[in-house]
Amino acid sequence: MLLIVDDDIAVRTSLTLLLKKEGFAVKGVTSPEETMEILQTETPELILLDLNFSIETSGKEGMQLLQRIKKVCPAVPVILITGWGTIDLAVKGMKEGAIDFITKPWQNDYLLQSIRTILNLAQQVPRSASRRKLEQQYHFENIVGQDPKLLDILETVGRVAPTDAAVLITGESGTGKELIAEAIHLNSKRKSRQFVKVNLGGISSTLFESELFGHVRGAFTDAKTDRIGRFEMAHKGSVFLDEIGELDLSSQVKLLRVLQERTFEPLGSSKSRTVDVRVICATNRNLEEMVALGTFREDLYYRINLITVKLPALRERPDDIPLLSAFFVNNLKTIYQRPDLHLSAAAMKWLKTLHLQGNIRQLKNLVERTVLLSGKDELDIADFQKNLNSGPQMAAHRNLPEVGTITLEEMEFQMITKAMQFHQNKVSKVARSLGITRFALYRRLEKYGIAYDSEEA
């Protein structure tokens, strides 16, 4: 049974008709008192809770009722009903235990999608998983490893994937966040549709709307034709928003609107378009800290992380390093036509001891660099040591300043300035040497006021 708590008869009637049509058993109540009476005798599967029960619109009554509900039925999921102007209040409600919020007027399809997602997640019981069992149930062919931490993550991914839950993937750079996002899509009901990847760190704030929502001809000087944005490309599929922590506040507002209302307007158009996408986000930044500092919107944070998947650093699962190394070598056998290529037993053991700051990405680069520079079919410790010591990460580690003597921004500014001087302001070469996209470099050049030749792009 779903319980609707709202003093507005029009809202209750509308929701009741909608939910009964979809096969749900529904009850409606008008006040906190009626709600608590129902909870004494019945336990709903889910509660839809309005935040206001009187002329006053502070939401105080709704928040108090939410606290009472959570004391009596802590496991029952609660979706808050709010107006756009009181989203800040809804965010406070999520801190008190609500699982989601919808704004008035709501979209029926989105509301039903949210309800089904939450109910499906609540009904699923975690199971102890082995790699073999996981492979029998799900598609994880591109994810290598047997560490218990990784298996727990894959089991979570398998359970969450069939739902439409928003997933936030966190972890250090190079831990495989994009692979996990792809696995979520491939194991979902949307797998036959588009999986659209968007690197938000590589999109400047001026291009954000055009890239994500598209534009119509004449929207700006170079808009010669209409262009479909990434969200529209991902319609009925999944969109992967990588580096979401890099978004500026104005872009965060625009993104939140789309995630909340499931509608958008292409740049230069006044006609709204509806989109149905599953949103998967990733970041290597601490969004909770950014929320506390005011650099990331709290309401957007709660909108994107119904489920959070935190990927462990490679140093936290060292037994997977030999497996990954062997996987990379097997791929390189074909690419470089060296069928006898293999790792020595000693090299396999030695690789486990490495502290790889760049995680899987750094390991992959190390293996490929060693394969390219070694003429032998058997790769030994010495072959890897030569290339590890010459790697950029090891060199950087030797030259790092003492902790507390310089801020991260100052260090970034110095590195970009040094790279620009070394490569004579050639943006493409600077971006490659820093391991970022040109768009990401342009954003940083603008941020620090570093001059560059725009024609070189």
Side-chain angles (χ1 to χ4, degrees):
M1 179 265 289
L2 307 186
L3 182 63
I4 302 168
V5 185
D6 198 306
D7 64 329
D8 188 331
I9 188 170
V11 172
R12 288 200 316 277
T13 302
S14 178
L15 288 173
T16 299
L17 291 173
L18 172 66
L19 296 173
K20 282 187 175 180
K21 184 180 177 182
E22 296 297 318
F24 294 106
V26 183
K27 283 189 177 179
V29 294
T30 63
S31 67
E33 292 72 26
E34 286 184 77
T35 303
M36 299 313 295
E37 286 178 13
I38 289 282
L39 296 183
Q40 288 177 5
T41 57
E42 296 183 71
T43 302
E45 293 178 89
L46 181 142
I47 298 174
L48 286 161
L49 173 62
D50 188 28
L51 286 173
N52 295 298
F53 299 98
S54 62
I55 297 175
E56 184 190 15
T57 58
S58 67
K60 184 178 179 180
E61 292 172 305
M63 292 291 289
Q64 290 175 341
L65 179 55
L66 174 63
Q67 292 169 354
R68 293 171 68 187
I69 289 171
K70 282 298 165 184
K71 285 181 181 178
V72 176
C73 302
V76 175
V78 178
I79 297 178
L80 302 178
I81 305 172
T82 180
W84 179 262
T86 55
I87 282 184
D88 287 345
L89 191 61
V91 169
K92 291 179 183 177
M94 294 182 77
K95 290 180 179 179
E96 295 288 345
I99 199 166
D100 200 359
F101 64 89
I102 62 167
T103 56
K104 300 175 185 176
W106 62 83
Q107 287 189 16
N108 288 346
D109 289 344
Y110 175 62
L111 173 60
L112 291 171
Q113 185 185 88
S114 179
I115 290 172
R116 290 195 184 101
T117 295
I118 291 166
L119 292 178
N120 286 338
L121 290 173
Q123 290 169 1
Q124 293 175 4
V125 180
R127 301 177 297 275
S128 56
S130 68
R131 182 75 205 206
R132 182 177 297 178
K133 285 182 181 178
L134 288 169
E135 288 178 348
Q136 289 172 349
Q137 290 179 279
Y138 310 112
H139 297 288
F140 292 139
E141 293 85 358
N142 295 324
I143 300 174
V144 179
Q146 296 181 351
D147 185 271
K149 296 186 189 72
L150 178 65
L151 295 184
D152 285 346
I153 288 168
L154 295 183
E155 195 274 329
T156 298
V157 167
R159 288 190 295 114
V160 169
T163 73
D164 280 315
V167 180
L168 175 63
I169 307 169
T170 65
E172 296 177 9
S173 293
T175 48
K177 294 186 284 293
E178 184 175 321
L179 284 177
I180 293 296
E182 287 180 344
I184 293 171
H185 176 73
L186 290 173
N187 289 280
S188 74
K189 297 173 184 176
R190 299 172 180 261
K191 61 186 176 184
S192 62
R193 301 294 185 126
Q194 286 269 36
F195 176 68
V196 178
K197 306 172 189 177
V198 187
N199 182 351
L200 296 176
I203 299 176
S204 67
S205 57
T206 54
L207 294 175
F208 177 80
E209 284 187 271
S210 175
E211 287 288 331
L212 267 68
F213 313 133
H215 62 248
V216 297
R217 181 181 178 183
F220 49 88
T221 305
D222 295 326
K224 308 297 184 185
T225 60
D226 291 358
R227 179 183 177 183
I228 295 176
R230 306 296 181 87
F231 267 83
E232 194 166 355
M233 288 170 58
H235 184 57
K236 296 293 183 182
S238 305
V239 63
F240 174 48
L241 304 178
D242 197 9
E243 294 191 38
I244 194 166
E246 301 299 320
L247 272 188
D248 60 83
L249 287 169
S250 64
S251 298
Q252 290 175 31
V253 174
K254 295 167 187 173
L255 177 60
L256 178 62
R257 282 277 182 177
V258 178
L259 299 186
Q260 177 60 42
E261 299 178 356
R262 301 290 160 146
T263 60
F264 66 93
E265 295 175 0
L267 193 63
S269 172
S270 58
K271 186 178 179 181
S272 293
R273 300 183 188 180
T274 301
V275 67
D276 173 15
V277 295
R278 203 270 181 80
V279 179
I280 306 167
C281 299
T283 183
N284 58 11
R285 304 185 67 177
N286 188 326
L287 294 188
E288 288 187 353
E289 283 186 3
M290 293 179 67
V291 168
L293 293 170
T295 56
F296 198 86
R297 290 183 64 94
E298 191 173 32
D299 42 13
L300 178 59
Y301 174 67
Y302 280 109
R303 178 56 69 201
I304 64 176
N305 77 335
L306 181 58
I307 301 294
T308 300
V309 175
K310 187 178 188 307
L311 299 187
L314 197 51
R315 61 183 172 275
E316 296 175 41
R317 50 182 186 113
D319 289 340
D320 282 345
I321 293 178
L323 297 176
L324 285 160
S325 302
F327 176 78
F328 296 142
V329 167
N330 284 332
N331 287 341
L332 295 170
K333 282 181 185 179
T334 305
I335 295 172
Y336 297 118
Q337 297 181 344
R338 294 172 62 180
D340 297 325
L341 199 62
H342 66 281
L343 295 166
S344 72
M348 296 274 268
K349 289 182 180 178
W350 179 80
L351 285 166
K352 287 175 60 175
T353 67
L354 295 180
H355 185 86
L356 298 162
Q357 289 180 306
N359 294 294
I360 300 170
R361 187 182 295 118
Q362 185 185 0
L363 177 64
K364 183 177 183 294
N365 291 341
L366 172 63
V367 171
E368 185 164 10
R369 192 162 59 243
T370 303
V371 168
L372 286 169
L373 297 177
S374 174
K376 301 184 299 181
D377 284 333
E378 182 176 79
L379 304 177
D380 208 348
I381 296 174
D383 300 307
F384 283 100
Q385 285 177 327
K386 291 175 188 175
N387 296 296
L388 182 67
N389 292 333
S390 64
Q393 298 226 13
M394 292 299 293
H397 182 70
R398 290 195 297 269
N399 297 321
L400 284 175
E402 292 297 319
V403 174
T405 61
I406 189 172
T407 68
L408 188 59
E409 284 196 345
E410 290 169 336
M411 193 171 179
E412 183 179 62
F413 171 76
Q414 290 181 16
M415 179 55 69
I416 292 172
T417 303
K418 187 175 180 180
M420 290 288 282
Q421 291 172 349
F422 182 82
H423 292 291
Q424 298 179 322
N425 287 356
K426 296 188 183 301
V427 174
S428 296
K429 290 184 177 180
V430 172
R432 280 197 296 272
S433 69
L434 295 174
I436 59 177
T437 65
R438 282 194 304 162
F439 284 121
L441 177 58
Y442 283 136
R443 291 185 65 178
R444 286 163 173 82
L445 292 173
E446 292 173 3
K447 174 182 176 182
Y448 296 119
I450 300 173
Y452 63 92
D453 184 0
S454 59
E455 294 181 0
E456 191 275 331

